[in-house]
Amino acid sequence: MRISLFITCYNDTLFPDTGKAVVRVLERLGHTVVFPAGQTCCGQMHYNTGYQKEAMPLLERFVAQFRDADAVVVPSSSCVAMMKDHYPKMAEEIGRPDLIRDVAELLPKIFEFSELLTRRLGLDDVGAYYPHRVTYHASCHGLRNLNLGDGPLRLLKAVRGIDLVPIANVEQCCGFGGTFAVKNAEVSSAMLAEKTTAVLNTGAEACTACDNSCLMHIQGALHRQRTGVRTIHLAEILASTEEGRA
Amino acid sequence: MSLQPLDPRTAEIFPMAARHLLGDTQLRKNVRHATDVIQNKRRIVVDEMPDWQELRESGKRLREHTMQHLREYLEQFERNCTAAGGVVHWARDAAEARQIVVSLAKSAGAKEVIKIKSMTTEEIQLNPALAAAGIRPYETDLAELIIQLGHDQPSHIVVPALHKNRQQIREIFRREMNLPDLGPSPQDLADAARLFLREKFLTVPTAVSGANFLIAETGGVCVVESEGNGRMCLTLPDTLITIAGIDKVIPRYEDLGVLLQLLPRSATGERMNPYNSIWTGVHPGDGPKAFHVILMDNARTSILADAEGRQTLNCIRCGACQNACPVYRQTGGHAYGSVYAGPIGAILTPQLMQMEHAQSLPYASSLCGACYEVCPVKINIPEVLIHLRNKVVKEKSWADPEAIALKTVASIFRSERRFRAAQRLGRIAERPLVRKDGQGDGWISWLPGLLGGWTQVRDLQSMPKESFREWWEKRAETKGGSDV
């Protein structure tokens, strides 16, 4: 299948290894990955902070870039949730009939990375090898907005060599929340303290998730405290094989 | 602790208030414990319901229908309540509502009133108004009594003293009831409260209540509670004054069949409230001889006029969103500067203030969605929060630093060329801040300005040498690009 990658602005800039891992997994599975060059950002930060007007052109740009895609993969559940929850309403507000139609046709073809594997491609085992103790953080948008359910866990369980340990209070937010982390830094820090405690209590050496935004937040505290626990995007675990790490 | 009444017009902004409260280790332990207990109870009685999601949907549709026909149902309630011997009063705002209650209490000759727990009376700061008119209010709900005797303020809409633990409550009772030998067990505390209140029930002939529901079809009023103290207030006095927001009306008696399943399970984790009181007008020889209902607007019609904000009025005040909210669970309720705390407070309070105050509240959320998930009438609180954030942003000056920053970033995202340039510039700009520590490429542990909130407890990994798109293009150039 020809799969278009929407890398997202922050993965492009800060976490290119996640993008490389997505490409590696999908090509290993025999698919062709394309990368529309004009893509930038889905508009989530602006929309969720109250800058709806600024998010509108970003919706138009996204649709123009991906309109003709067969399937779109996005290694970020919060960006996918942004599109699924808000794009139809935003398109209505812009009021262009062609845009409203394009959004309606495009949305069902957009998948968060783990969702693409489990729901669109029907896979649990993608042939990965990762001999480490790992815990999975279910990001809020993946859990509640996309209803990813046990999809990501099924993918992880099929990884050879992995020692997967459950985290306490898996449904609890890590406290990132986009601009919340700086606008309400103190409360965000308090929430993060609970999450890092839960991560440390698992004894895992790595915490994984479908969202680098949560992971950047969790990793920020794990590193500040020199805990010796790292974070890694799910795609990077799945890209790892006995022959080589992503 | 002595607190001024919670007033959004004078309250500190949420991040500042939260900062102070986060330092109160006792409060945080109490709130964490209490919300855990209630959430666990709720989970058990919700999970046992095979049709919980259908019930939520029914509750939502019922509330939406009511709001669409609010005027008719309110008028129907007025007619039926009046026919049953009640007196209906209309109040435009808090001041009018206070004035009506005070004048009714005065004309009943009251020097004291007993009160049922009512967030609406807290919303309008009724107690200070009664006191100013020489009428002493006695709270009879156990939690509200703790708050009143402790010179405190409610921090939760269902469990107002949730931020106090048993030892603290014992201290308040010992001091305020003059009981130096009071024991520490729940039984000791309940006995002390019972003795204290029983005398009031038997001697004070005027009561003030709120309402959970106003039944349009019958003109009846419904109050649910766990202690029976409410039942005392509703039945023993000669005069009963009920104050309710106009959003409390429901069309039919049988609608309680849905709402009285959703409410107790969501609120206290009970299958049914121990006391469900419904009364309709007055009846000779039974209960109060005079019954007044004040139907108060206080900005509710302005909320109703806003298509995206109006679902806020569907709230049935169960407090489940507060217990589930990871922000509320850290700060407790006082940080919200309003009697309506937590997620529902973050959307209700700014709208009650017509967006002139409490503008920091829509941002007091990580948008995690836990509130929406537990809401028994499916209020999409994150959606309303975002809507209200947009209203806040629209009022911002062009010179606001946050607005300038976000508009600049938006203009970068509108162009691939500018985005690439910004990525390159970022790598240069961060250089003076990056420290190598042998773990990865390098880390930033201090950031300036607004971003400094991030680095107070978190590090940030430095930017990689190459963006994904740069790697992708290089790979395409090297042809085939088989080695990923």
Side-chain angles (χ1 to χ4, degrees):
Chain A
M1 191 163 65
R2 197 164 162 277
I3 300 166
S4 301
L5 170 61
F6 178 56
I7 182 68
T8 77
C9 60
Y10 72 98
N11 280 324
D12 185 10
T13 310
L14 301 173
F15 301 99
D17 286 348
T18 298
K20 294 175 202 172
V22 170
V23 173
R24 182 168 161 153
V25 170
L26 295 179
E27 289 184 350
R28 192 170 75 213
L29 294 168
H31 302 286
T32 306
V33 178
V34 292
F35 182 80
Q39 61 176 286
T40 59
C41 168
C42 69
Q44 179 181 203
M45 176 173 75
H46 288 90
Y47 192 88
N48 282 358
T49 310
Y51 294 81
Q52 271 84 327
K53 202 177 109 208
E54 279 68 28
M56 297 296 182
L58 303 180
L59 154 74
E60 292 180 284
R61 166 173 286 273
F62 176 85
V63 172
Q65 291 289 317
F66 287 91
R67 189 167 32 214
D68 302 322
D70 300 329
V72 182
V73 65
V74 188
S76 162
S77 48
S78 72
C79 299
V80 178
M82 162 69 197
M83 299 176 199
K84 304 226 163 173
D85 290 350
H86 304 304
Y87 273 11
K89 199 170 49 192
M90 290 165 71
E92 291 280 345
E93 209 169 310
I94 293 169
R96 270 175 36 212
D98 58 319
L99 186 69
I100 295 168
R101 192 194 57 236
D102 286 347
V103 165
E105 286 173 8
L106 183 53
L107 283 183
K109 295 190 285 189
I110 299 174
F111 298 91
E112 181 277 323
F113 174 67
S114 76
E115 198 182 24
L116 177 85
L117 296 176
T118 56
R119 291 192 180 147
R120 180 68 179 78
L121 303 175
L123 296 169
D124 285 350
D125 187 348
V126 295
Y129 170 74
Y130 195 72
H132 300 282
R133 190 173 172 95
V134 173
T135 193
Y136 170 71
H137 165 68
S139 61
C140 298
H141 287 114
L143 186 74
R144 300 196 180 90
N145 301 56
L146 303 185
N147 294 309
L148 293 181
D150 66 348
L153 282 174
R154 291 206 314 273
L155 288 163
L156 285 168
K157 278 177 188 154
V159 172
R160 248 70 79 199
I162 200 168
D163 176 12
L164 190 63
V165 278
I167 190 170
N169 303 317
V170 66
E171 73 294 339
Q172 192 146 314
C173 178
C174 73
F176 174 58
T179 49
F180 174 77
V182 291
K183 284 171 97 73
N184 277 287
E186 308 271 344
V187 182
S188 168
S189 300
M191 291 159 70
L192 179 56
E194 281 193 26
K195 186 54 71 182
T196 49
T197 302
V199 171
L200 294 175
N201 283 344
T202 64
E205 56 186 290
C207 174
T208 191
C210 298
D211 287 77
N212 274 326
S213 47
C214 308
L215 290 180
M216 178 173 75
H217 189 234
I218 295 168
Q219 177 201 42
L222 290 175
H223 183 266
R224 170 66 62 90
Q225 297 166 35
R226 305 299 190 265
T227 58
V229 179
R230 69 179 180 282
T231 55
I232 181 170
H233 193 281
L234 179 83
E236 293 172 52
I237 292 181
L238 299 185
S240 172
T241 60
E242 293 219 42
E243 288 71 45
R245 290 274 297 277
Chain B
M1 176 163 50
S2 181
L3 275 177
Q4 292 298 306
L6 295 167
D7 189 336
R9 289 165 300 185
T10 52
E12 265 185 310
I13 62 167
F14 182 83
M16 294 305 294
R19 174 182 296 194
H20 303 317
L21 289 159
L22 287 175
D24 188 336
T25 52
Q26 179 72 72
L27 174 134
R28 291 183 66 187
K29 188 233 157 220
N30 295 349
V31 172
R32 201 158 47 223
H33 173 73
T35 51
D36 274 346
V37 169
I38 306 172
Q39 282 200 98
N40 288 334
K41 284 177 69 184
R42 176 196 168 274
R43 195 169 295 128
I44 292 165
V45 296
V46 164
D47 288 351
E48 72 185 15
M49 298 285 280
D51 60 346
W52 183 252
Q53 296 308 329
E54 288 81 359
L55 261 176
R56 287 177 77 214
E57 186 60 33
S58 300
K60 175 189 164 160
R61 283 204 302 267
L62 172 58
R63 296 297 287 155
E64 279 176 355
H65 167 85
T66 310
M67 292 308 146
Q68 277 159 14
H69 302 90
L70 189 60
R71 183 197 173 121
E72 294 102 280
Y73 286 126
L74 284 168
E75 287 174 353
Q76 193 187 357
F77 173 82
E78 180 185 34
R79 279 194 304 277
N80 290 327
C81 181
T82 307
V87 184
V88 176
H89 309 257
W90 298 85
R92 227 182 306 265
D93 54 25
E96 251 183 47
R98 284 192 299 265
Q99 186 262 319
I100 295 168
V101 178
V102 168
S103 74
L104 288 172
K106 271 188 173 167
S107 49
K111 291 271 176 272
E112 300 178 322
V113 298
I114 47 176
K115 282 187 69 203
I116 304 182
K117 173 181 168 291
S118 154
M119 284 298 116
T120 311
T121 64
E122 300 280 2
E123 173 189 330
I124 65 171
Q125 297 179 21
L126 180 64
N127 287 1
L130 286 168
I135 301 164
R136 190 163 174 185
Y138 288 97
E139 295 291 347
T140 69
D141 174 80
L142 180 56
E144 283 287 3
L145 177 67
I146 295 162
I147 297 293
Q148 188 175 37
L149 293 178
H151 311 286
D152 201 350
Q153 292 296 321
S155 71
H156 188 282
I157 57 174
V158 172
V159 196
L162 170 135
H163 58 289
K164 293 287 186 208
N165 70 11
R166 201 180 344 134
Q167 288 70 31
Q168 293 170 306
I169 294 164
R170 176 175 175 239
E171 283 311 310
I172 293 167
F173 281 10
R174 272 168 61 155
R175 191 176 63 235
E176 301 290 327
M177 294 179 182
N178 195 21
L179 298 170
D181 302 323
L182 180 64
S185 74
Q187 177 79 43
D188 294 328
L189 301 179
D191 281 349
R194 179 176 289 124
L195 283 171
F196 180 83
L197 291 173
R198 199 53 57 106
E199 189 232 325
K200 299 297 165 199
F201 290 134
L202 294 172
T203 56
V204 179
T206 308
V208 174
S209 91
N212 286 105
F213 303 109
L214 309 167
I215 307 160
E217 178 186 50
T218 64
V221 180
C222 174
V223 161
V224 301
E225 40 130 8
S226 303
E227 297 167 3
N229 292 336
R231 178 73 59 86
M232 300 271 203
C233 287
L234 296 171
T235 51
L236 288 169
D238 293 329
T239 301
L240 174 60
I241 304 165
T242 296
I243 172 156
I246 52 173
D247 49 312
K248 293 293 177 71
V249 74
I250 60 170
R252 301 165 305 174
Y253 184 75
E254 69 178 70
D255 296 329
L256 292 173
V258 171
L259 297 168
L260 291 187
Q261 290 189 77
L262 290 170
L263 179 56
R265 285 174 199 263
S266 301
T268 47
E270 293 170 301
R271 296 188 178 92
M272 189 177 176
N273 285 95
Y275 292 87
N276 297 270
S277 301
I278 301 169
W279 69 98
T280 309
V282 291
H283 300 273
D286 182 16
K289 298 181 184 69
F291 170 51
H292 298 268
V293 188
I294 297 143
L295 302 176
M296 181 181 74
D297 182 345
N298 206 25
R300 285 159 176 77
T301 49
S302 76
I303 300 175
L304 191 63
D306 177 358
E308 288 176 85
R310 73 169 60 120
Q311 56 177 317
T312 310
L313 295 175
N314 297 350
C315 176
I316 57 171
R317 305 288 189 270
C318 72
C321 62
Q322 302 185 315
N323 306 326
C325 177
V327 173
Y328 177 92
R329 282 164 51 82
Q330 299 296 342
T331 65
H334 293 157
Y336 295 77
S338 162
V339 298
Y340 303 112
I344 186 62
I347 60 171
L348 179 58
T349 304
Q351 295 186 87
L352 288 176
M353 293 288 119
Q354 313 212 28
M355 299 310 290
E356 283 173 21
H357 303 280
Q359 296 181 353
S360 65
L361 291 186
Y363 291 94
S365 164
S366 65
L367 303 178
C368 81
C371 47
Y372 181 28
E373 191 174 54
V374 297
C375 177
V377 291
K378 295 173 80 165
I379 300 171
N380 190 335
I381 294 179
E383 186 178 276
V384 181
L385 286 166
I386 293 170
H387 171 63
L388 298 180
R389 289 176 182 189
N390 187 226
K391 289 191 167 197
V392 173
V393 165
K394 281 180 180 162
E395 296 301 314
K396 274 189 195 289
S397 134
W398 62 269
D400 181 276
E402 180 200 285
I404 291 171
L406 272 119
K407 284 176 185 173
T408 306
V409 173
S411 95
I412 290 168
F413 286 145
R414 281 200 297 275
S415 143
E416 184 201 345
R417 193 176 52 80
R418 285 198 292 271
F419 183 45
R420 283 168 177 276
Q423 288 178 323
R424 285 193 300 272
L425 191 64
R427 286 199 284 264
I428 297 165
E430 71 166 14
R431 267 184 213 154
L433 302 171
V434 176
R435 300 280 174 272
K436 301 262 185 189
D437 69 351
Q439 301 181 46
D441 285 339
W443 293 81
I444 296 167
S445 53
W446 180 86
L447 285 168
L450 289 173
L451 298 173
W454 181 273
T455 45
Q456 67 180 10
V457 300
R458 310 164 192 83
D459 291 338
L460 187 66
Q461 198 154 16
S462 65
M463 290 170 69
K465 307 258 176 307
E466 188 180 62
S467 69
F468 175 81
R469 73 181 63 220
E470 286 164 349
W471 171 83
W472 177 267
E473 281 152 11
K474 232 189 252 169
R475 180 178 182 256
E477 278 167 23
T478 54
K479 175 95 183 89
S482 57
D483 99 329
V484 173

